[in-house]
């Protein structure tokens, strides 16, 4: 199967990837269900907390309706563990030679992070068909994405970092952008306060705006 088609099928009709940092497995389950209820098919749980692996395992077991990604993968040694925990895809903030080899060898799709044209071309040469562009807003926002897409051929782009309801359409409207990552619908304070209705409301806003663009 074509690699970009893999990503399109994973994301469904609302190509927004909610980026979640959560330390409690029960809250990981609750926020994943809330995001899915708002129309976002995928959830990216990051390896930024001490209990991240337990959260991944719990969501994989209890929320099978979501397509579960694992983000902030920074070491080759983490790849096998998160795949075993139930990840359907992996995301990294950057790419080293060792990490590139591990991601290429893993049995699920991987989205390596880049911040420059040189890094994007290196990822393409390593065999990746799509990359995460991070931190997108710091790098120059949609203008940077348009410039990057003009020189990286068919490489798919997924901007993450600073994407929200007011900028989502601009990002998704850039050539070569097939999805956008956003933490706005699942901010840490919403998780801490168990405001699952607000998480669903925000997810619905992003899902609807994404569908309007496509």
């Amino acid at each position: 199967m074509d690699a970009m088609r893999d990503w399109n099928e994973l994301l469904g009709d609302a190509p927004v990837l909610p980026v979640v940092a959560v330390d409690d497995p029960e809250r990981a389950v609750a926020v994943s269900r809330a995001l899915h209820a708002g129309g976002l098919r995928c959830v990216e749980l990051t390896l930024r907390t001490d209990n991240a692996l337990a959260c991944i395992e719990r969501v994989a077991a209890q929320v099978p309706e979501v397509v579960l990604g694992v983000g902030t993968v920074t070491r080759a040694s983490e790849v096998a563990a998160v795949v075993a925990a139930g990840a359907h895809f992996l995301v990294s903030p950057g790419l080293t030679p060792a990490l590139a080899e591990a991601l290429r060898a893993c049995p699920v799709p991987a989205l390596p992070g880049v911040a420059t044209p040189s890094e994007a071309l290196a990822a393409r040469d390593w065999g990746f068909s799509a990359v995460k562009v991070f931190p997108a807003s710091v790098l120059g926002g949609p203008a940077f994405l348009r410039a990057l897409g003009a020189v990286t051929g068919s490489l798919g782009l997924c901007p993450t970092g600073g994407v929200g309801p007011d900028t989502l359409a601009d990002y998704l409207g850039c050539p070569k952008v097939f999805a956008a990552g956003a933490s706005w619908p699942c901010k840490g304070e919403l998780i801490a306060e168990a405001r699952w209705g607000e998480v669903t409301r925000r997810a619905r806003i992003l899902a609807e705006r994404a569908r309007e663009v496509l």
Side-chain angles (χ1 to χ4, degrees):
M1 181 179 289
D2 176 78
M4 277 306 302
R5 193 166 69 214
D6 280 351
W7 286 111
N8 291 332
E9 290 184 359
L10 284 173
L11 290 158
D13 65 350
V16 178
L17 186 56
V19 182
V20 184
V22 59
D23 198 45
D24 177 71
E26 291 186 8
R27 290 179 185 266
V29 167
V31 71
S32 297
R33 286 176 173 159
L35 289 164
H36 190 269
L40 299 182
R41 182 181 182 186
C42 292
V43 173
E44 177 190 332
L45 298 183
T46 66
L47 294 178
R48 299 181 189 177
T49 66
D50 292 340
N51 292 322
L53 198 61
C55 292
I56 294 160
E57 292 171 342
R58 185 75 65 86
V59 172
Q62 296 188 9
V63 199
E65 62 268 28
V66 305
V67 178
L68 178 59
V70 174
T72 322
V73 178
T74 61
R75 296 180 176 86
S77 59
E78 296 168 341
V79 172
V82 296
V83 171
H88 297 125
F89 64 92
L90 307 183
V91 184
S92 75
L95 198 59
T96 66
L99 183 57
E101 290 298 329
L103 293 176
R104 288 176 58 195
C106 79
V108 299
L111 195 64
V114 304
T116 68
S118 293
E119 291 174 358
L121 294 176
R124 187 189 65 181
D125 287 351
W126 268 316
F128 297 99
S129 66
V131 294
K132 165 184 173 176
V133 182
F134 175 81
S137 63
V138 175
L139 293 170
F144 177 75
L145 269 293
R146 288 191 292 271
L148 183 65
V151 297
T152 51
S154 61
L155 193 69
L157 307 175
C158 178
T160 303
V163 178
D166 297 330
T167 59
L168 178 63
D170 290 336
Y171 278 110
L172 291 180
C174 296
K176 312 297 175 58
V177 171
F178 67 96
S183 61
W184 178 76
C186 43
K187 288 287 190 180
E189 61 267 22
L190 300 179
I191 297 173
E193 297 168 7
R195 296 170 61 190
W196 311 130
E198 177 64 10
V199 171
T200 295
R201 187 188 74 84
R202 292 188 180 198
R204 187 172 292 116
I205 289 172
L206 293 189
E208 290 174 353
R209 293 190 181 180
R211 294 186 185 108
E212 290 172 357
V213 176
L214 300 178

